[in-house]
Amino acid sequence: FKGDHSFPELLDLKTDWVAAYSSTSQEEPDLRFFSYDQNNDSGRINIALSGYDPPTRYFRELTEENQNLKLDNELPFSVWEGLEGKFKFGAYASATQRAYNERRFAYNTTTNPRWNDLVQSDNADGFLADENVVYEAPSRGTYRFNKYIYELPYNNYTGDQDIQAAYSMFEIPIIEPWKVTGGVRYETTDLSVINSGERTGDSSISESALLPALSTIYELKQDMNLRFAYGKTLARPTFREIALVPVFDFMGGDILIGNPDLQITSIDNYDLRWEWFPEAGEVLAASLFYKTLSSPIEKQYVTANRQVQYRNRDEATVYGLELEGRKNLEFISTYLKNYSAGGNFTYVVSEVNVTPFEYEYTIGNDSRPLAGQSPYIFNFDLSYSNERSGTIVSLFYNIFGPRLAVVGSSSPARPNAYEQPVATLDMTVSQRLTDHWKLKFSAKNLLNPDVEVLQRYGGQDYIYSSYTRGRSFGMSLNYDF
C-alpha cells in the first residue's frame, strides 16, 4: 500500500508513504545428491567420504516474513529571489523473520552390497531407490536398518532482523545552474540467529551508524550536467552468512558455513559523472568512481573437503570507469523510430591485501581482486516501443569478466577459484490489452551457457565446478486502477 498527499495549508508539505508485507516459503522435499569418482583409465569407481558426503537425501523448508514502513516528507522554501530549495525528512523501518529447517538421510556405502553395480551402470536413482534400503527385525537391541541409512544431525536455525532509520536533507540551489544536496541518515541494525542443529550457538549484530551524503550538480547547459557525489553506505551480512550451520550448495558442491563473528561492511563512495541528454529518452554519460570498503565479506576455504566460510577482510578498494549511452534509432531510418539501443561498459580495479592463510601468499603475491568483483561488465539492450499499440519488446545482453568466487588458502592448500565469463540473454514482452489490463511475458537466460569455476594447479586450469542454470519463463497479468 502506498500513498501521496499534499498539504497546501502546511507550508506546501508533500508526503508519500509505503507499507508492505511479504511472505515467502520454499520447500525441497526428498532432494537427492550423489557424488563419486571414476578413473577413466581403469574404470574404477569410488565414493570418497573424505572429499564429500555419502549419497544423501535432503528435506528442506524455509519460511520468511517481512514488514516494511517508509515515510518521506518534502517542504519547499525560498533561498533567494527566483530560486527555491527543498527540505526533506523521513523514517524507515523493516522487520524480517526467518525459519530454516533441514533433515538429511545418508546411505552407508560400505555396507550396501549393491552400490558398486548400481554406480557402474550410472544409475544413481537406482542406488537411492527405496528397495535398496534393507529393513530387518531388531537384533540384540539394535536395528540392522541403521547400517544402511542413517539420519544426520539437524541443520536448523531461526533469524530476526530489525532495521530502523531516520534522515534529513537539504536541496539548495547556489546559483541558477548549480545545486547542492546534503544530508545524514541515522540507522540501527539488530540481527540475530539462533542455531538448533548440529552446531549450536547464537549469532547477533547490534550496531548503529551515521551515514552522511553530499552531492552537487552543475548544469553546463540545458541538456548537460556535471555531478559529484559522496555517500557512506552499509552492507549487512545475511542470515545464511552468520548462521553457524553447514549448508550444502548444490550449484557448486561446497559446504557453506556461516560465521557468527561477521561484521557489517562500511563503504565510502565517491562518484564523478558527466551526462548529456541530446533528446528525450537519450543519454550519453561517463563516470569515474572510487570506493573504500571496511570489513568486506568474502567466501574462503577453511577445510580440505570443500568447506567454505564467510569471513571479513580488513579493507578493500574498488575504482574504475563507466561509459553509458542510449540512442533512438530513427536517425538511421524513419522506419526505426520505435526502436532504441542502449548499453554500458564498466571497467573495475579492485584490491585486497592477502593474508598468510591464503594460498596466494605462498607464491609471493601481495594483493588480489576482491571476491565477487569482475574486472569488466558489459550490458546491451535493444527495445521496440509502440505507444499507439501498447507493445514493448526488449532484449538484454550481459557479460562479465572472470571473478574470484572462493578465496584460496595455504592450509589446506587450495588455490583461488575463479568463475569464468558467462553471457546471458533475456527477453521481455509487454502488451497493453485495455486501458487497465496489461499482459507481460519474460524469458531469461535464453543462451543457457555453462557456468564454470576453475582452479589453477601447476600452471594448468582445472574445472572446479561446471553447471547450467537453465532457462526460465514467466507470464503476468496486471490491472492498473
Side-chain angles (χ1 to χ4, degrees), residues 342-355:
N344 63 71
F345 174 79
T346 305
Y347 173 76
V348 184
V349 177
S350 63
E351 292 182 351
V352 176
N353 291 332
V354 300
T355 66

Side-chain angles (χ1 to χ4, degrees), residues 65 72 93 96 105 108 131 133 147 153 206 211 227 231 238 245 254 266 269 277 290 312 329 354 367 376-377 412 437:
E65 294 185 351
D72 294 303
T96 305
F105 297 90
N108 191 335
E131 59 267 22
V133 179
K147 288 191 174 184
S206 182
L211 307 174
R227 298 173 179 262
T238 64
V245 170
D254 295 321
S266 177
N269 306 274
F277 306 96
Y290 183 87
N312 285 112
L329 301 183
V354 300
S367 64
Y376 64 85
I377 304 169
W437 289 98

Side-chain angles (χ1 to χ4, degrees), residues 417-476:
Y418 277 86
E419 182 179 354
Q420 301 305 296
V422 172
T424 58
L425 181 65
D426 301 334
M427 181 180 70
T428 62
V429 180
S430 174
Q431 178 60 55
R432 185 181 69 239
L433 302 179
T434 67
D435 290 339
H436 300 283
W437 289 98
K438 182 183 293 184
L439 184 67
K440 293 184 178 180
F441 170 79
S442 65
K444 297 183 178 181
N445 198 31
L446 292 173
L447 302 178
N448 196 24
D450 290 336
V451 179
E452 289 190 342
V453 178
L454 304 181
Q455 286 180 310
R456 178 168 286 261
Y457 289 90
Q460 183 174 349
D461 291 330
Y462 294 88
I463 294 178
Y464 178 77
S465 66
S466 179
Y467 58 90
T468 57
R469 293 191 177 98
R471 301 174 179 89
S472 62
F473 304 91
M475 185 170 289
S476 63

Side-chain angles (χ1 to χ4, degrees), residues 10-199:
L10 296 177
L11 303 177
D12 286 333
L13 174 68
K14 293 182 180 180
T15 298
D16 63 85
W17 55 270
V18 176
Y21 169 81
S22 63
S23 178
T24 304
S25 63
Q26 179 180 352
E27 294 185 17
E28 293 179 306
D30 203 8
L31 182 59
R32 307 175 181 192
F33 179 78
F34 195 116
S35 291
Y36 62 89
D37 300 322
Q38 182 171 1
N39 188 307
N40 291 332
D41 296 328
S42 65
R44 182 178 180 274
I45 289 177
N46 178 47
I47 295 181
L49 299 185
S50 61
Y52 40 78
D53 289 338
T56 307
R57 297 165 76 160
Y58 293 83
F59 294 79
R60 288 174 164 177
E61 184 181 54
L62 183 147
T63 58
E64 184 171 296
E65 294 185 351
N66 177 260
Q67 305 89 36
N68 283 291
L69 291 173
K70 184 173 179 287
L71 174 67
D72 294 303
N73 302 282
E74 179 183 301
L75 280 171
F77 63 92
S78 179
V79 180
W80 36 70
E81 186 175 355
L83 295 179
E84 185 177 271
K86 296 177 182 178
F87 172 61
K88 300 180 181 181
F89 61 96
Y92 171 81
S94 174
T96 305
Q97 305 84 38
R98 173 183 285 194
Y100 175 85
N101 298 282
E102 177 186 83
R103 297 187 71 182
R104 300 171 295 160
F105 297 90
Y107 284 74
N108 191 335
T109 60
T110 61
T111 57
N112 191 325
R114 301 186 59 191
W115 81 269
N116 193 59
D117 293 339
L118 291 166
V119 177
Q120 287 282 6
S121 61
D122 290 329
N123 187 6
D125 289 335
F127 180 88
L128 298 174
D130 291 339
E131 59 267 22
N132 291 312
V133 179
V134 179
Y135 298 85
E136 294 185 1
S139 174
R140 297 181 182 177
T142 62
Y143 284 91
R144 186 66 180 274
F145 167 81
N146 291 328
K147 288 191 174 184
Y148 292 90
I149 187 171
Y150 56 96
E151 184 169 8
L152 298 169
Y154 291 159
N155 284 331
N156 303 335
Y157 68 85
T158 58
D160 289 278
Q161 176 178 266
D162 291 297
I163 300 171
Q164 297 181 357
Y167 79 93
S168 63
M169 59 182 290
F170 288 91
E171 185 178 295
I172 303 175
I174 306 301
I175 56 178
E176 182 65 37
W178 184 20
K179 181 170 62 178
V180 174
T181 302
V184 64
R185 175 184 176 97
Y186 178 75
E187 192 164 289
T188 62
T189 300
D190 289 291
L191 174 62
S192 64
V193 169
I194 299 176
N195 304 323
S196 56
E198 177 182 1
R199 306 186 183 199

